[in-house]
Amino acid sequence: MKKLLGIFILGAIVLLTACGQTAPATTSVSSVSADTRQTGKAVGAGFRMATSPDFTCYGSGNADGFYSVVANDDGSKNILYTDYASANQVYLCNQPNCEHDSEKCTAWVAPFEGSVTPVATENNLFLIYSGTTQNAKIEQMGLNGENKKIIFTFSQQAVIENAVAANDQFLVFSVCSYQQDDDGGVEPQYNLVALELQTQKMTTLFSLAEHSDKNKAENKAMFFKGVTNTGFIVETMVQNAYETDETSVEKTFENMNNATTHTVYEIPFDGSAPQPLLTYANNQCNGMPYGDSFFYVKKKENGLLTLLRLKTDTQETTVLADDFAKQWLGEEKKEMTVDDVVFRNFVDGYLLMNVLTDEYVAKNEKTESMELVFTGVAVDPGSKEMKTIGLTSHYNATTVPADILAQAGDKLLVFASVLPQQDPGFRKGAVARKVALISKTDYLQSVPNFTMVNLLREYW
Amino acid sequence: MKKVGKKIGAAILAMVLIIAMAVPVSAIVEPGPNGFAIYIYGWAGHSGSSAILKGHGINNNITVGTNNGEAGNHVWYVVPNGNGYLIKDGTQSYCVNIHRVKQYGTYYPCTGYYYENSTGGRDQRVQLVQYNGYTVIRVQNPLVGGNWYMMADYSQPVASSDVIWYSDSTAMKAHWY
C-alpha cells in the first residue's frame, strides 16, 4: 500500500513540476524537471521567513526595504517599494514619467486571477503566483524589478501558502494541489516543497499523505508555520470519522474536536527524518515557532491557559506561565480559548502575542457594537517577564495592537495607524492603514515614536 | 477524505431537488473537490440552473446571482486555518467577514474583507461539523448567542431566500454530504 502511495505521490510531483504555461514575452522560461526524492533533502542553514504565514500578505522585507504588490482596478498589479532609509514608498521603477501601466514598466504585473505574493531576499525579488483558475508560477527578478523570468510553472492550479522561507539557495513553501483518486473524487495534496534556485528543481520535503492514514482520515490539512534555528515547522490536521448526536449539537462538536488531531513536526534542514514535536486534539493548543523553540498555549483541564516553550533540539518543554492570564493580567480567565491568543512575532528576544482580553456591548442610537479588545503582550522566555504593548489602533469595533510588517536591524515596520476609510467609494468598515518605522526599543516600551512612511497607496 | 457514493449522490440530488422546488431561489453549500475546499454555490430552484454566491471584491457584500459564466470570479471556498476554518475567496486573499454590529436584530451580512492578521481572523472563523447526516457550517465562538443567520444580502434580511446557511439544532438548511 505504501509503495502504491509512493508511486501516486511521485506521479503528483511529476505533474506538479511539468512546465505547462507559455511565459510572457518579457520573460524566459527555464526548463523544470521532477526531482524524485520525496524527503531527506538537505537544504543548508540560514533560513528565515521572507513572508509571514498570515492569510493576508502585505509584503516582504529585506535589510533595505519592503516590497508590496497592490491591485489596480483593471486587474493588473503594481510592485511598490518602501525604502527604510528615506521612509518613502515608490513604484519599483526607474523610468521617468512612467505610468506604471504596461509591461514596459518594471513595477507592473500583468492581470492574474489569484494572489501574487512578493518574496524579498538580499539578492532577488520573487513573485509567487497562486490561484485556483490559472496555473501557479514563480517569477524571479532583480531587486530593482529588472531581468524578470519565470523560474517555475506548475502544471495545474495550485494554492501556495503565503508563508515562504528562504536562504541563498532555496525557497521553501507549502503547496496544495488537487489529485483525482480512484473513486472519481478529488483529494487535496499538501506538500512542503523546496525550490532550488540554481537548478530550478523542486523537491518535496514533507508530504501530508505520508503522515496520515488514508483509510481513516476523513479530512486532512497542513499548515507551514515557520522555521526554527534547525528546521521547518509544519502542523498537520487530520480528522477521523466521529459519531454525531442528533439530540445535541454541542455533543457533536465535542466529538468532532476529539476526532481531530493536530501534529506539529519539525523537518530538519539537514535532511534527517521529520520529528513529531507535539500532538493535540482540536481547540486544545495553538502555537508558533520562533528561534530555537515552538511556543504554544494549552487549555488545561481546569479551563485555564498555560503558556509553554518546547525547544525543538532537545524536545524539552518549559512552562513560561502556568496560568497565563493571571500571571500577566492578575486575574483568571477561564473563558479564554487557545484561539484568543494570536502569536504575532519574535522581537529582540521577546515573544509577541495579541490576546483577546475583553469583549463588551457598546450601544448608541442605532447600533450595538460588539467591541473586542486585543491586547499585546511581550514575553521574555528567559526571565519569563511579561509586559503589555500599549501601541494600538481602534477600528471596526476592535482594539488592535500595532501590527509588525517587517524587521530590519533595530527598526520595525508597523501599521502605526488604522482608521476608517474616508473615501465614500468604500463600504462601511473599510479601513486605511498607514505604516511607520519605529525602533524595537520604543515598540517594546510602548513609546509611540513613529517615523511615518510617505505612502503612495495606503494599505487596506 | 469523504467520498460520495452513487446512492448517497442520488439522495443528495433528490434532496437538492426537493429543497429547490420548495424554495424558488435559495443557496446551499455544495461539495467542492474535497472535504475542505468547498465551493459555495446557490441554485435557481424551478429552472434548475445554478446560481453562485457573488460579491467579488474587497468590502463587497456577498449576493446570490445567476451563474453567468463568471464563476471563476465568484467562487468562495472553505479552507482550514488553525483550529477552525475560513470562508475564502477563490482568487484573492480575503475572507468572508461576519459583522459583529447588531443591525436591529440577529441578521449579519457576509462581506468580503481581508483576513485580519492581528486578531487571527476572529470575525471570520467558522467550524464545520457532521450533524444528522449533513456537514454544517457554524460561526466559531460567536459573540451573540442563539442561531446565526448569514445573509447573502442584508439589505433584505427578512427574506428567507437570502439565507445562505445557518446553524440551528432543529433545522439544517445549508449542508452537504
Side-chain angles (χ1 to χ4, degrees), chain A residues 305-336:
Chain A
L305 289 189
T306 183
L307 177 64
L308 300 130
R309 173 188 196 171
L310 170 59
K311 281 196 169 183
T312 56
D313 54 353
T314 62
Q315 299 208 9
E316 173 193 5
T317 299
T318 307
V319 177
L320 298 181
D322 185 52
D323 180 349
F324 170 57
K326 187 164 189 176
Q327 285 180 237
W328 172 33
L329 302 168
E331 58 178 316
E332 287 188 349
K333 284 183 172 292
K334 288 190 176 181
E335 72 280 5
M336 193 178 279

Short mmCIF file of all heavy atoms in Angstrom, two decimals, chain A residues 305-336:
data_model
loop_
_atom_site.label_atom_id
_atom_site.label_comp_id
_atom_site.label_asym_id
_atom_site.label_seq_id
_atom_site.Cartn_x
_atom_site.Cartn_y
_atom_site.Cartn_z
N LEU A 305 -5.46 28.71 30.66
CA LEU A 305 -4.45 28.56 29.61
C LEU A 305 -3.06 28.61 30.21
O LEU A 305 -2.76 29.47 31.04
CB LEU A 305 -4.57 29.69 28.58
CG LEU A 305 -5.77 29.71 27.64
CD1 LEU A 305 -5.56 30.78 26.58
CD2 LEU A 305 -5.99 28.36 26.99
N THR A 306 -2.22 27.70 29.76
CA THR A 306 -0.82 27.72 30.16
C THR A 306 0.03 28.02 28.94
O THR A 306 -0.28 27.59 27.83
CB THR A 306 -0.42 26.38 30.83
OG1 THR A 306 0.93 26.47 31.26
CG2 THR A 306 -0.56 25.22 29.88
N LEU A 307 1.09 28.78 29.14
CA LEU A 307 1.99 29.15 28.05
C LEU A 307 3.27 28.33 28.16
O LEU A 307 3.90 28.30 29.24
CB LEU A 307 2.32 30.64 28.12
CG LEU A 307 3.31 31.19 27.08
CD1 LEU A 307 2.76 31.07 25.66
CD2 LEU A 307 3.65 32.66 27.39
N LEU A 308 3.64 27.67 27.08
CA LEU A 308 4.77 26.74 27.13
C LEU A 308 5.79 27.02 26.02
O LEU A 308 5.45 27.60 24.99
CB LEU A 308 4.26 25.30 26.99
CG LEU A 308 3.29 24.85 28.07
CD1 LEU A 308 2.06 24.23 27.48
CD2 LEU A 308 3.95 23.88 29.03
N ARG A 309 7.00 26.55 26.29
CA ARG A 309 8.07 26.65 25.31
C ARG A 309 8.64 25.26 25.09
O ARG A 309 9.07 24.59 26.04
CB ARG A 309 9.17 27.56 25.84
CG ARG A 309 10.42 27.60 24.98
CD ARG A 309 11.53 28.37 25.66
NE ARG A 309 12.59 28.74 24.73
CZ ARG A 309 13.60 29.56 25.03
NH1 ARG A 309 13.69 30.08 26.24
NH2 ARG A 309 14.52 29.85 24.13
N LEU A 310 8.65 24.81 23.85
CA LEU A 310 9.19 23.49 23.50
C LEU A 310 10.43 23.70 22.65
O LEU A 310 10.34 24.16 21.51
CB LEU A 310 8.13 22.70 22.73
CG LEU A 310 8.56 21.39 22.06
CD1 LEU A 310 9.12 20.41 23.09
CD2 LEU A 310 7.39 20.75 21.33
N LYS A 311 11.59 23.39 23.23
CA LYS A 311 12.83 23.51 22.48
C LYS A 311 12.92 22.37 21.48
O LYS A 311 12.81 21.20 21.85
CB LYS A 311 14.03 23.50 23.42
CG LYS A 311 14.27 24.82 24.12
CD LYS A 311 15.66 24.86 24.73
CE LYS A 311 16.01 26.26 25.21
NZ LYS A 311 17.39 26.33 25.74
N THR A 312 13.10 22.69 20.22
CA THR A 312 12.99 21.65 19.21
C THR A 312 14.20 20.74 19.16
O THR A 312 14.08 19.59 18.74
CB THR A 312 12.78 22.29 17.82
OG1 THR A 312 13.86 23.19 17.55
CG2 THR A 312 11.47 23.03 17.75
N ASP A 313 15.38 21.21 19.58
CA ASP A 313 16.55 20.33 19.50
C ASP A 313 16.53 19.27 20.60
O ASP A 313 16.84 18.11 20.36
CB ASP A 313 17.85 21.14 19.53
CG ASP A 313 17.94 22.07 20.73
OD1 ASP A 313 16.94 22.19 21.47
OD2 ASP A 313 19.01 22.67 20.93
N THR A 314 16.14 19.65 21.81
CA THR A 314 16.13 18.68 22.92
C THR A 314 14.73 18.16 23.20
O THR A 314 14.56 17.20 23.95
CB THR A 314 16.65 19.35 24.19
OG1 THR A 314 15.77 20.45 24.53
CG2 THR A 314 18.07 19.87 24.00
N GLN A 315 13.72 18.75 22.63
CA GLN A 315 12.31 18.46 22.88
C GLN A 315 11.97 18.65 24.36
O GLN A 315 11.06 18.01 24.90
CB GLN A 315 11.94 17.06 22.38
CG GLN A 315 12.15 16.90 20.88
CD GLN A 315 11.24 15.88 20.24
OE1 GLN A 315 10.31 15.38 20.85
NE2 GLN A 315 11.50 15.58 18.98
N GLU A 316 12.69 19.52 25.01
CA GLU A 316 12.42 19.87 26.41
C GLU A 316 11.34 20.95 26.46
O GLU A 316 11.41 21.93 25.74
CB GLU A 316 13.71 20.39 27.05
CG GLU A 316 13.53 20.93 28.45
CD GLU A 316 14.74 21.72 28.93
OE1 GLU A 316 15.68 21.93 28.13
OE2 GLU A 316 14.74 22.14 30.09
N THR A 317 10.36 20.72 27.33
CA THR A 317 9.27 21.69 27.46
C THR A 317 9.39 22.46 28.77
O THR A 317 9.61 21.88 29.83
CB THR A 317 7.90 20.98 27.41
OG1 THR A 317 7.77 20.32 26.15
CG2 THR A 317 6.77 21.97 27.56
N THR A 318 9.26 23.78 28.67
CA THR A 318 9.34 24.66 29.84
C THR A 318 8.03 25.42 29.97
O THR A 318 7.48 25.91 28.97
CB THR A 318 10.48 25.69 29.67
OG1 THR A 318 11.67 24.99 29.37
CG2 THR A 318 10.66 26.50 30.95
N VAL A 319 7.53 25.50 31.19
CA VAL A 319 6.32 26.30 31.44
C VAL A 319 6.73 27.76 31.62
O VAL A 319 7.49 28.09 32.54
CB VAL A 319 5.58 25.80 32.69
CG1 VAL A 319 4.36 26.70 32.98
CG2 VAL A 319 5.13 24.35 32.52
N LEU A 320 6.24 28.62 30.74
CA LEU A 320 6.53 30.05 30.87
C LEU A 320 5.52 30.75 31.78
O LEU A 320 5.86 31.72 32.47
CB LEU A 320 6.52 30.72 29.49
CG LEU A 320 7.57 30.20 28.49
CD1 LEU A 320 7.47 30.96 27.17
CD2 LEU A 320 8.97 30.31 29.05
N ALA A 321 4.30 30.26 31.78
CA ALA A 321 3.28 30.81 32.67
C ALA A 321 2.21 29.75 32.87
O ALA A 321 1.50 29.41 31.92
CB ALA A 321 2.67 32.06 32.06
N ASP A 322 2.13 29.23 34.09
CA ASP A 322 1.18 28.14 34.35
C ASP A 322 -0.25 28.64 34.19
O ASP A 322 -1.09 27.96 33.59
CB ASP A 322 1.40 27.60 35.76
CG ASP A 322 0.52 26.40 36.03
OD1 ASP A 322 0.53 25.46 35.21
OD2 ASP A 322 -0.22 26.42 37.04
N ASP A 323 -0.54 29.78 34.74
CA ASP A 323 -1.83 30.44 34.50
C ASP A 323 -1.50 31.74 33.78
O ASP A 323 -1.23 32.77 34.41
CB ASP A 323 -2.56 30.70 35.81
CG ASP A 323 -3.91 31.39 35.59
OD1 ASP A 323 -4.18 31.84 34.46
OD2 ASP A 323 -4.69 31.47 36.56
N PHE A 324 -1.52 31.67 32.47
CA PHE A 324 -1.04 32.77 31.63
C PHE A 324 -1.75 34.08 31.95
O PHE A 324 -1.11 35.12 32.18
CB PHE A 324 -1.22 32.38 30.16
CG PHE A 324 -0.99 33.49 29.19
CD1 PHE A 324 0.21 34.17 29.15
CD2 PHE A 324 -1.99 33.86 28.29
CE1 PHE A 324 0.43 35.20 28.24
CE2 PHE A 324 -1.78 34.88 27.38
CZ PHE A 324 -0.57 35.56 27.37
N ALA A 325 -3.08 34.06 32.00
CA ALA A 325 -3.83 35.30 32.20
C ALA A 325 -3.56 35.90 33.57
O ALA A 325 -3.37 37.11 33.71
CB ALA A 325 -5.32 35.05 32.01
N LYS A 326 -3.52 35.06 34.58
CA LYS A 326 -3.34 35.58 35.94
C LYS A 326 -1.94 36.15 36.12
O LYS A 326 -1.76 37.20 36.76
CB LYS A 326 -3.61 34.49 36.97
CG LYS A 326 -3.62 35.02 38.39
CD LYS A 326 -4.26 34.07 39.36
CE LYS A 326 -4.43 34.74 40.72
NZ LYS A 326 -5.14 33.87 41.68
N GLN A 327 -0.95 35.48 35.55
CA GLN A 327 0.41 35.97 35.70
C GLN A 327 0.64 37.26 34.94
O GLN A 327 1.46 38.08 35.32
CB GLN A 327 1.41 34.89 35.26
CG GLN A 327 1.53 33.77 36.29
CD GLN A 327 2.50 32.69 35.88
OE1 GLN A 327 2.12 31.53 35.81
NE2 GLN A 327 3.74 33.04 35.64
N TRP A 328 -0.11 37.43 33.88
CA TRP A 328 0.04 38.66 33.09
C TRP A 328 -0.90 39.76 33.59
O TRP A 328 -0.48 40.88 33.88
CB TRP A 328 -0.23 38.35 31.61
CG TRP A 328 -0.31 39.52 30.70
CD1 TRP A 328 0.38 40.71 30.79
CD2 TRP A 328 -1.15 39.65 29.55
NE1 TRP A 328 0.02 41.55 29.76
CE2 TRP A 328 -0.91 40.93 28.99
CE3 TRP A 328 -2.06 38.79 28.93
CZ2 TRP A 328 -1.56 41.38 27.84
CZ3 TRP A 328 -2.71 39.23 27.77
CH2 TRP A 328 -2.45 40.51 27.25
N LEU A 329 -2.18 39.43 33.70
CA LEU A 329 -3.19 40.45 33.99
C LEU A 329 -3.64 40.47 35.45
O LEU A 329 -4.36 41.36 35.87
CB LEU A 329 -4.42 40.21 33.10
CG LEU A 329 -4.15 40.24 31.59
CD1 LEU A 329 -5.35 39.71 30.83
CD2 LEU A 329 -3.80 41.65 31.13
N GLY A 330 -3.25 39.46 36.20
CA GLY A 330 -3.62 39.42 37.61
C GLY A 330 -4.99 38.84 37.87
O GLY A 330 -5.51 38.94 38.99
N GLU A 331 -5.60 38.26 36.87
CA GLU A 331 -6.92 37.64 37.08
C GLU A 331 -7.08 36.40 36.22
O GLU A 331 -6.53 36.31 35.12
CB GLU A 331 -8.03 38.64 36.76
CG GLU A 331 -7.99 39.18 35.34
CD GLU A 331 -9.13 40.13 35.03
OE1 GLU A 331 -10.27 39.81 35.41
OE2 GLU A 331 -8.88 41.17 34.40
N GLU A 332 -7.83 35.44 36.75
CA GLU A 332 -8.09 34.22 36.00
C GLU A 332 -9.09 34.50 34.88
O GLU A 332 -10.01 35.31 35.05
CB GLU A 332 -8.66 33.14 36.91
CG GLU A 332 -7.64 32.53 37.84
CD GLU A 332 -8.22 31.34 38.59
OE1 GLU A 332 -9.44 31.14 38.53
OE2 GLU A 332 -7.43 30.62 39.23
N LYS A 333 -8.89 33.83 33.75
CA LYS A 333 -9.84 33.98 32.64
C LYS A 333 -10.11 32.60 32.04
O LYS A 333 -9.51 32.20 31.06
CB LYS A 333 -9.26 34.92 31.57
CG LYS A 333 -9.32 36.40 31.94
CD LYS A 333 -8.80 37.26 30.82
CE LYS A 333 -9.01 38.74 31.08
NZ LYS A 333 -10.42 39.16 31.06
N LYS A 334 -11.03 31.90 32.69
CA LYS A 334 -11.33 30.54 32.23
C LYS A 334 -12.04 30.52 30.88
O LYS A 334 -12.06 29.51 30.20
CB LYS A 334 -12.18 29.82 33.28
CG LYS A 334 -11.41 29.45 34.52
CD LYS A 334 -12.20 28.53 35.42
CE LYS A 334 -11.34 28.10 36.60
NZ LYS A 334 -12.03 27.18 37.52
N GLU A 335 -12.66 31.66 30.52
CA GLU A 335 -13.37 31.70 29.25
C GLU A 335 -12.43 31.86 28.07
O GLU A 335 -12.82 31.72 26.92
CB GLU A 335 -14.40 32.84 29.26
CG GLU A 335 -13.81 34.24 29.20
CD GLU A 335 -13.28 34.76 30.53
OE1 GLU A 335 -13.28 33.97 31.51
OE2 GLU A 335 -12.87 35.93 30.61
N MET A 336 -11.18 32.14 28.35
CA MET A 336 -10.21 32.37 27.27
C MET A 336 -9.93 31.06 26.53
O MET A 336 -9.68 30.04 27.16
CB MET A 336 -8.92 32.95 27.86
CG MET A 336 -7.97 33.51 26.83
SD MET A 336 -6.49 34.24 27.61
CE MET A 336 -7.12 35.85 28.10
#
